[in-house]
């Protein structure tokens, strides 16, 4: 077994350490705001719907391999700082190269490495944030995570201004620069990150560790929550990757309007993060999951039948329900119920299921539906899947206590 976390030194309690890690997360999310364009970029590069679906699938398939890499890092190395640096640089290189790809194979491979890097950065950063915020209460996690959402929002606003003057190649160069700045904050804050990293006394074989984490996830009540979240992740995979294309086709707009739409969605996610941070400390997990599942279903219904700008605006304002009410809350649930580095390993393996596997299936399916039916059918299908996910969660909601966490 892994040892429990050691008490945090006094200097970790101070604001300097929090700022160091927060700035790294800030620029990371500015770089990740490139997400707003990927599927639209592929369409502008001349790829067909099925080809776009295949590229997205290959990228999201990296979310299956990347967690295994992360698990290996956590199994073999007590300090993931250097892997975090490497992944940040890889993300910068891949996002810089993406607009120059002319073939499906080239775009698919570059997008694969981009998604491999970003899928790896998320859990490693999350592990550090949880470790830092644990003595402050889990509400602090939502505040730091909200800073990332603010950075994503600002990245989208800046992109909207830049889209009026710059081509995709210039915009993607700026996203690459943001990843490199994030890496610099990691590089020049070694004492902070080294102190935050829990030490591992017994190092496990990758597959032994993976098997043990899967067994833990399959126990009640974890699987009663994880399975509905995975199904909801499938609905997300059917809709979010092609959201920009759907908006552009429905309203006949370009990349500047796409950036503003993502900025609008992110802007609403910030108060949701703060609200969830308050709720989880006071009421537990149940109200957050109700908000997350209910808001996601409503968002997809609106997307399925939206035709006017105001309906898209309402749908976009609910975008954060999934990330704040479901994914972030589930991360806190794991952190609360496990000890030591085991927390971080379970976070990684859980992401393998609700992220990599189901999002890949959803992205591929969206390309097929787009090609042979229409983009709207991808959102209608996502709505049906989200309703099924809500029904699967219902037994746990009825049986769990009010403050279940």
């Amino acid at each position: 077994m892994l040892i429990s976390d050691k008490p945090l030194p006094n200097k970790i309690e101070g604001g300097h350490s929090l700022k160091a890690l927060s700035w790294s997360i800030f620029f990371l999310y500015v770089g990740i705001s490139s997400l707003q364009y990927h599927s639209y970029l592929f369409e502008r590069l001349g790829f067909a719907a099925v080809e776009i679906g295949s590229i997205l699938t290959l990228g999201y398939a990296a979310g299956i391999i990347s967690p295994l890499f992360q698990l290996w890092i956590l199994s073999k190395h007590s300090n993931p700082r250097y892997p975090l640096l490497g992944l940040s640089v890889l993300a910068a290189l891949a996002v810089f190269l993406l607009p120059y790809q002319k073939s499906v194979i080239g775009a698919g491979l570059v997008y694969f490495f981009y998604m491999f890097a970003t899928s790896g950065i998320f859990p490693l950063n999350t592990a550090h944030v949880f470790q830092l915020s644990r003595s402050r209460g889990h509400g602090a996690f939502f505040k730091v995570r909200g800073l990332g959402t603010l950075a994503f929002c600002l990245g989208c606003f800046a992109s909207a201004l830049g889209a009026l003057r710059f081509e995709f190649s210039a915009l993607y160069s700026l996203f690459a620069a943001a990843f490199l700045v994030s890496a610099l904050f990691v590089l020049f804050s070694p004492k902070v990150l080294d102190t935050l990293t829990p030490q591992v006394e017994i190092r496990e074989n990758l597959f032994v560790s993976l098997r043990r984490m899967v067994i833990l996830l399959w126990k009640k009540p974890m699987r009663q929550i994880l399975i509905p979240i995975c199904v909801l992740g499938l609905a997300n995979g059917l809709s979010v990757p092609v959201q920009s294309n759907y908006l552009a086709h429905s309203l006949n707009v370009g990349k500047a309007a796409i950036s503003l739409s993502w900025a609008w969605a992110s802007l609403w996610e910030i108060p949701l993060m703060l609200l969830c941070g308050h709720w989880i400390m006071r009421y537990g997990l149940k109200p957050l999951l109700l908000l997350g599942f209910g808001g996601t279903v409503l968002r997809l219904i609106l997307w399925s039948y939206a035709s006017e700008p105001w309906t898209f605006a309402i749908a976009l304002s609910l975008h954060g329900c999934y990330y704040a009410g479901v994914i972030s809350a589930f991360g806190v649930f794991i952190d609360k119920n496990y000890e030591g580095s085991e927390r971080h390993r379970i976070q990684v393996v859980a992401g393998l299921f609700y992220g990599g596997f189901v999002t890949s299936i959803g992205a591929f399916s969206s390309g097929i539906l787009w090609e042979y039916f229409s983009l709207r059918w991808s959102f209608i299908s996502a709505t049906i899947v989200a309703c099924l996910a809500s029904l699967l969660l219902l037994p746990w909601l009825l049986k769990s206590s009010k403050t279940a966490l």
Side-chain angles (χ1 to χ4, degrees), residues 74 77-81 128 131 192-199:
L74 292 172
H77 302 276
S78 62
N79 186 352
R81 177 166 59 91
H128 290 312
Q131 188 73 3
V192 174
L193 296 181
D194 291 348
T195 309
L196 291 177
T197 304
Q199 301 298 309

Side-chain angles (χ1 to χ4, degrees), residues 144-190:
V144 178
R145 176 61 179 80
L147 178 66
T149 304
L150 175 62
F152 189 99
C153 179
L154 293 176
C156 292
F157 271 122
S159 301
L161 295 175
L164 300 174
R165 300 182 59 185
F166 303 121
E167 296 299 323
F168 276 120
S169 56
L171 290 172
Y172 272 64
S173 297
L174 294 174
F175 294 134
F179 280 118
L180 292 177
V181 173
S182 176
L184 287 175
F185 274 101
V186 175
L187 180 63
F188 291 109
S189 304

Side-chain angles (χ1 to χ4, degrees), residues 3 65 94 160 180 186 207 225 246 295 323:
I3 61 172
I65 299 173
L180 292 177
V186 175
F207 295 103
I225 305 173
Y246 187 51
Y323 297 99

Side-chain angles (χ1 to χ4, degrees), residues 4 29-30 51 63 92 128 130 136 146 175 199 202 215 232 247 312 336 349 391:
S4 298
Y29 274 83
V30 171
E51 292 174 329
H128 290 312
F130 271 129
R136 302 164 181 259
F175 294 134
Q199 301 298 309
I202 298 179
I215 290 172
L232 194 67
L247 188 71
F312 282 106
K336 182 75 173 180
V349 176
L391 290 175

Side-chain angles (χ1 to χ4, degrees), residues 8 13 19 30 34 67 73 99 117 125 140 163 178 193 204 216 228 233 277 288 313 339 352 354 380 384:
L8 297 176
E13 302 290 344
K19 286 180 181 178
V30 171
S34 60
I73 290 294
N125 252 318
L193 296 181
E204 294 178 311
L216 289 174
L288 271 68
E339 295 182 347
L352 177 68
Y354 67 69
I380 293 172
I384 296 170

Side-chain angles (χ1 to χ4, degrees), residues 121-132:
I121 291 169
F122 270 121
L124 293 175
N125 252 318
T126 299
H128 290 312
V129 175
F130 271 129
Q131 188 73 3
L132 176 61

Side-chain angles (χ1 to χ4, degrees), residues 56-57 59-68 119 210 214 226 230-231 233-235 237-238 348-365:
L56 293 173
T57 301
Y60 284 107
I64 301 172
I65 299 173
S66 186
L68 299 177
S119 297
L210 178 62
V214 170
L226 179 61
C230 288
V231 177
L234 175 60
L238 278 163
V348 167
V349 176
L352 177 68
F353 291 105
Y354 67 69
F357 281 124
V358 297
T359 309
S360 298
I361 295 170
F364 181 76
S365 301

Side-chain angles (χ1 to χ4, degrees), residues 14 35 44 51 61 97-98 136 150 189 200 214 246 257 271 278-279 316 328 340 374:
L35 169 70
R44 299 297 293 177
E51 292 174 329
L97 293 174
L98 203 56
R136 302 164 181 259
L150 175 62
S189 304
V200 181
V214 170
Y246 187 51
H278 172 71
W279 276 9
L316 285 163
S328 295
S374 70

